Amino acid sequence: MSDLFHRVEPVADELGEVFAKRGHELALVGGPVRDVLLGRAGHDLDLTTDARPEQVLEIVRDWADAFWTIGIEFGTVGARKGDWQLEITTYRSEAYDPKSRKPEVRYGDTLDADLARRDFAVNAMAVRLPSHEFVDPHGGLRDLADRVLRTPGTPEQSFGDDPLRMLRAARFASQLGFTVDAAAIAAMRDMAERIEIVSAERIQAELDKLICGADPRAGLSLLVETGLANHVLPELPKLRLEIDEHHRHKDVYEHTLIVLEQAIAQEAAGPDRVLRWAALLHDVGKPKTRKNEEGGRVSFHHHEVVGAQLAKRRLSELKFPKEVVGDVARLVELHLRFHGYGEGEWTDSAVRRYVRDADHLLDRLHKLTRADCTTRNKRKAAALSRTYDQLEERIARLAEEEEIAKIRPELDGNEIQEILGIPPGPLVGRAYKFMMDIRMDEGMIGKDAARDRLVAWAAANG
């Protein structure tokens, strides 16, 4: 076992000896132990100790290159030593009061008791330092080999202590590709409503890790299957629209999961959270806009507009950063725009507007639009792909010709004020927009022509 931990031995053993000299226990625990055994160790170490937070702070103060106390109210002291980030937590147990969103932290005295309160057996393994004694009282090593998530005690007790663990099960299904024990799934289904006691920030962190995992479909499917999604992401199960024999449309829920997978397949450099969330939420406006039409058709007019509003509301309630909320909502709003391109009838002006409206999201919009094609008709899929290829080629050509991303009117604000003899104010903004429309629609027309058009517009508008 020691051979597996050779990378972390120097810093871990050194700190273990420091704690031992002060009469305290120290052990590597949880995720880092699991990840080392899976061959995917990083530079973050979780450690646990019988020392109280104030004692931990006193011990690491002189040893670490830096330390911080952000989590000290929950028994955690952070430290940095070289390239290693360490979190040292006092043995503890925690549980939720039924009326509180914050866990109540109680300190413990033994490593075994600390491991018993952890979320899953694969995270309840430890290595004592500096002796390297492997501690696995709940069969985590066996579960690791079986790739299964099982709680150390009963699932009801574990999820009752911290309901967020139910979301963590779905997150690990996505990140690690593990299946969840049947008893845990049953408890998740029975206790799903309990998740509402957890703060939006903690829920957001788990959902974001889930969506950025290797297999988000697995985690999302588990959320829907257990009913947890009804409480944390209700737009997702609502996509399972009833399909009857008279009114035909795609299975929107299944379509959404495929779009997410196809978007992921286009990522070039690791998970793109904005693209993934946009793919997941791109059709959330369909349930509200569904309408049965003559001939057995089903329409979803303006679902992209409604969907953008719903996406913005959901991500805001989950406390995502404003820029993420805005970018995802904008992609949802724009995801159907390409379908107006038809057989390439758009003018250069329309192509410029497409690029301008997408702005910094253009590359993501390309990927989302391509991912949104899930038809089984190979001929139709090939035609859509060719058409989008043509659009991208036109965008590239226009960008080369005009540096499209830097397009500005031929007359700036100061020139507009000088020509019209007006002071700064809303009128200058209206005139600037008029000149921008000319620039977008007609390209470069020359300063003299631009001046004449501005004067004519001013006269026509009083």
Side-chain angles (χ1 to χ4, degrees):
M1 186 66 69
S2 180
D3 291 343
L4 292 172
F5 291 89
H6 69 277
R7 266 191 74 245
V8 302
E9 277 177 5
V11 66
D13 285 353
E14 182 181 330
L15 186 57
E17 289 170 358
V18 171
F19 269 74
K21 288 178 180 177
R22 303 291 288 268
H24 293 292
E25 299 176 358
L26 186 70
L28 187 68
V29 71
V33 177
R34 178 201 69 220
D35 289 344
V36 165
L37 294 172
L38 288 172
R40 58 194 297 270
H43 279 83
D44 295 337
L45 299 180
D46 292 338
L47 301 119
T48 188
T49 178
D50 62 341
R52 294 300 189 255
E54 296 76 14
Q55 295 171 311
V56 173
L57 193 59
E58 183 180 336
I59 292 171
V60 303
R61 191 185 302 274
D62 296 328
W63 175 84
D65 297 332
F67 62 90
W68 51 93
T69 60
I70 295 174
I72 199 166
E73 63 178 308
F74 299 111
T76 300
V77 173
R80 178 177 59 79
K81 185 72 169 180
D83 295 332
W84 296 95
Q85 300 280 349
L86 304 92
E87 286 195 349
I88 308 160
T89 303
T90 302
Y91 295 156
R92 66 186 184 184
S93 62
E94 61 187 31
Y96 272 83
D97 182 285
K99 297 181 181 179
S100 173
R101 288 184 177 271
K102 291 186 177 181
E104 176 188 346
V105 176
R106 305 188 196 98
Y107 297 130
D109 297 309
T110 68
L111 177 59
D112 281 353
D114 182 84
L115 296 178
R117 60 151 284 275
R118 294 186 175 261
D119 52 5
F120 301 104
V122 295
N123 294 329
M125 299 179 286
V127 177
R128 292 186 184 275
L129 300 170
S131 67
H132 293 184
E133 177 193 349
F134 182 62
V135 184
D136 181 20
H138 303 287
L141 193 59
R142 181 186 65 246
D143 287 356
L144 206 62
D146 295 339
R147 302 186 72 80
V148 65
L149 293 173
R150 185 177 50 82
T151 56
T154 67
E156 290 79 9
Q157 181 181 22
S158 180
F159 300 155
D161 285 346
D162 186 353
L164 189 70
R165 291 172 177 173
M166 296 186 287
L167 284 191
R168 205 170 289 150
R171 188 247 289 188
F172 286 136
S174 168
Q175 282 187 328
L176 303 176
F178 285 16
T179 58
V180 181
D181 174 67
I185 291 178
M188 290 165 69
R189 188 177 290 114
D190 292 341
M191 301 175 68
E193 187 175 350
R194 188 91 166 94
I195 195 67
E196 294 190 4
I197 201 66
V198 181
S199 69
E201 290 85 355
R202 296 184 76 208
I203 290 173
Q204 179 248 98
E206 291 299 327
L207 289 178
D208 206 35
K209 291 175 184 176
L210 185 162
I211 203 74
C212 290
D215 184 14
R217 175 193 274 265
L220 294 167
S221 298
L222 186 59
L223 293 183
V224 173
E225 175 191 346
T226 58
L228 277 163
N230 294 328
H231 303 280
V232 299
L233 201 61
E235 294 78 9
L236 185 59
K238 286 180 181 178
L239 294 177
R240 296 188 297 182
L241 301 175
E242 181 181 348
I243 302 176
D244 61 52
E245 60 181 318
H246 302 295
H247 296 95
R248 302 178 301 277
H249 62 82
K250 287 182 181 178
D251 180 339
V252 182
Y253 172 70
E254 179 62 23
H255 163 76
T256 294
L257 295 181
I258 294 173
V259 171
L260 175 58
E261 290 174 326
Q262 293 185 165
I264 291 171
Q266 298 179 70
E267 291 175 340
D272 183 336
R273 72 196 300 213
V274 169
L275 176 63
R276 292 189 181 199
W277 277 107
L280 183 66
L281 300 176
H282 79 284
D283 272 349
V284 294
K286 281 191 170 180
K288 280 196 172 185
T289 58
R290 179 185 181 186
K291 182 179 180 182
N292 294 329
E293 305 284 2
E294 292 183 4
R297 294 187 308 104
V298 176
S299 68
F300 304 97
H301 295 307
H302 305 302
H303 78 266
E304 73 280 11
V305 177
V306 174
Q309 296 168 348
L310 292 174
K312 185 175 183 179
R313 183 193 310 165
R314 174 57 48 207
L315 296 182
S316 296
E317 288 180 358
L318 287 170
K319 309 297 184 182
F320 273 88
K322 287 184 178 180
E323 61 271 17
V324 173
V325 175
D327 285 352
V328 171
R330 187 62 169 156
L331 284 170
V332 172
E333 182 182 1
L334 293 174
H335 83 273
L336 286 184
R337 181 74 67 86
F338 158 71
H339 294 284
Y341 189 69
E343 297 296 324
E345 299 94 342
W346 279 4
T347 62
D348 283 353
S349 170
V351 175
R352 291 188 191 101
R353 289 184 184 281
Y354 185 78
V355 174
R356 186 172 181 82
D357 288 347
D359 196 30
H360 65 286
L361 297 170
L362 183 61
D363 182 61
R364 288 180 172 126
L365 183 58
H366 288 333
K367 293 173 181 175
L368 178 60
T369 302
R370 289 184 181 277
D372 195 25
C373 176
T374 62
T375 178
R376 295 180 181 177
N377 185 321
K378 293 184 179 179
R379 183 178 299 177
K380 182 178 179 181
L384 283 170
S385 181
R386 283 196 303 271
T387 304
Y388 206 84
D389 287 343
Q390 294 168 7
L391 175 58
E392 288 199 74
E393 288 169 4
R394 288 184 65 185
I395 290 172
R397 176 175 56 78
L398 286 172
E400 185 176 350
E401 291 175 356
E402 306 182 22
E403 292 187 303
I404 196 168
K406 300 178 181 178
I407 287 179
R408 298 289 184 273
E410 289 186 77
L411 301 176
D412 63 25
N414 291 330
E415 291 171 315
I416 289 171
Q417 292 178 58
E418 182 180 343
I419 292 168
L420 299 183
I422 57 175
L427 185 57
V428 177
R430 287 173 55 199
Y432 187 91
K433 182 180 183 302
F434 169 73
M435 298 308 301
M436 176 60 81
D437 287 341
I438 292 176
R439 178 73 178 85
M440 295 295 290
D441 292 339
E442 303 177 32
M444 300 284 283
I445 63 174
K447 286 275 189 180
D448 291 341
R451 185 179 294 105
D452 292 343
R453 295 285 288 277
L454 174 63
V455 171
W457 172 85
N461 285 273

